[in-house]
Amino acid sequence: MAKKVKKSADDMSFLDHLEELRWHLIRSTGAILVAATIAFIAKDFIFGILFAPKDPSFITYQILCEAATSLNLDESFCFTEIPFRIQSRQMAGQFSAHIWTAITAGFIIAFPYVLYEFWRFISPALNPNERKASRGFIFAASILFFVGVLFGYYVISPLSINFLGTYQVSEEVFNDIDLSSYFGLIRASALACGVVFELPILIFLLTKMGLVTPDILRKYRKFAIVGILIVSAIITPPDIASQVIVAIPVMILYEISIYLSKFVLKKEKQTQTVTTK
């Protein structure tokens, strides 16, 4: 039987590209499902992690309490109890929460492989110089994503849980938080921060495409800062300290993106100069 010869990127039709994309998506989905199955089995470990931000002894609360005490600031993070209960009000509530939590954990664990499959799909369209310059794409994007997820878990989630879980309009109302709402907050915080921390990678790609330059990023820096503050105000409790804690890392990422864009353009000019000679 004759061996099937794989077509080059230039010889592939639109349908061939769709077929190639389909297999990359299938392999990515398979990796997520395998990781999700492992997370589903490791129920006690996963849910122990998710319930940790509800504990007043959680490391984030300790650090914030010590920082507030040493600076003689508001000690709102120094407390011994988070006065709310978590409940499940639906027959399949706990099972559904288990399934979705496992899928989310599976996506986070399999993220580097998903990026690898994405890279395998787009890399044939790049020239050798672009492929060489983007060699560390998977590693850098994965590290930024994981750092963002940890930031969402250790910073955004505790701040939100502390504020929303203790907020009361009246002493007559007791907070009984639904299981899906509690886990949804942690999942959204972790995944949203993981995506936001991909900003340098996004700027890198936009610079390579010629859509962004360092001058544009500097010109619109003040608008970016306003946007960052607005996003921080949306995803955090309505107090200045929480917003600043979230906004500072994102602003640092924006500044790193400016230097990254400058570096990319500098490398491209050097490459063009060598090619011309």
Side-chain angles (χ1 to χ4, degrees):
M1 184 176 179
K3 186 178 179 180
K4 185 177 180 180
V5 180
K6 186 176 180 179
K7 296 180 181 179
S8 65
D10 294 334
D11 297 331
M12 293 174 67
S13 65
F14 177 72
L15 291 179
D16 290 331
H17 282 292
L18 284 181
E19 177 67 13
E20 190 75 14
L21 176 60
R22 185 174 75 91
W23 280 107
H24 286 298
L25 292 175
I26 289 174
R27 286 191 290 268
S28 298
T29 303
I32 293 172
L33 290 177
V34 169
T37 302
I38 295 172
F40 186 87
I41 295 171
K43 179 179 68 173
D44 293 339
F45 176 74
I46 295 294
F47 284 92
I49 291 175
L50 293 178
F51 282 121
K54 187 183 179 299
D55 189 341
S57 63
F58 190 60
I59 185 172
T60 303
Y61 301 135
Q62 295 181 15
I63 293 174
L64 292 174
C65 178
E66 291 175 4
T69 303
S70 62
L71 297 174
N72 295 320
L73 299 175
D74 180 19
E75 297 183 1
S76 59
F77 291 103
C78 299
F79 48 86
T80 58
E81 180 186 9
I82 300 181
F84 71 85
R85 297 175 300 186
I86 298 176
Q87 63 176 347
S88 177
R89 297 181 296 109
Q90 298 176 349
M91 286 295 294
Q94 296 196 49
F95 181 73
S96 178
H98 192 183
I99 290 290
W100 282 109
T101 299
I103 292 174
T104 304
F107 174 76
I108 293 173
I109 295 169
F111 185 76
Y113 183 78
V114 174
L115 275 183
Y116 171 69
E117 288 293 339
F118 170 75
W119 180 248
R120 286 183 60 193
F121 177 69
I122 66 170
S123 59
L126 303 177
N127 60 51
N129 290 331
E130 290 174 333
R131 212 173 289 130
K132 183 179 178 181
S134 307
R135 190 173 295 166
F137 166 76
I138 297 173
F139 177 77
S142 298
I143 291 297
L144 287 172
F145 179 77
F146 289 138
V147 170
V149 168
L150 291 175
F151 183 80
Y153 173 74
Y154 281 105
V155 179
I156 303 296
S157 294
L159 292 175
S160 301
I161 290 170
N162 174 59
F163 176 79
L164 298 174
T166 59
Y167 186 83
Q168 285 183 299
V169 294
S170 170
E171 293 183 357
E172 299 296 323
V173 182
F174 188 85
N175 285 332
D176 280 330
I177 309 300
D178 192 69
L179 184 67
S180 61
S181 177
Y182 176 82
F183 288 147
L185 184 147
I186 296 179
R187 286 198 302 262
S189 299
L191 291 178
C193 288
V195 172
V196 169
F197 272 58
E198 294 293 328
L199 178 62
I201 301 298
L202 176 62
I203 296 299
F204 172 84
L205 295 175
L206 292 177
T207 302
K208 294 291 291 183
M209 295 169 62
L211 300 177
V212 167
T213 65
D215 293 334
I216 291 176
L217 295 174
R218 292 191 187 97
K219 180 180 178 181
Y220 292 100
R221 180 191 278 121
K222 56 185 178 181
F223 299 105
I225 292 174
V226 172
I228 291 170
L229 292 174
I230 291 174
V231 172
S232 300
I234 292 173
I235 66 176
T236 61
D239 64 88
I240 299 299
S242 300
Q243 294 170 16
V244 170
I245 290 172
V246 173
I248 288 176
V250 182
M251 289 180 181
I252 292 173
L253 286 173
Y254 187 83
E255 294 299 323
I256 291 174
S257 299
I258 294 176
Y259 285 100
L260 181 61
S261 179
K262 182 179 179 181
F263 174 77
V264 171
L265 290 181
K266 182 179 178 181
K267 281 291 184 181
E268 287 186 347
K269 288 181 180 178
Q270 291 177 350
T271 303
Q272 291 174 0
T273 303
V274 172
T275 304
T276 303
K277 289 181 179 180

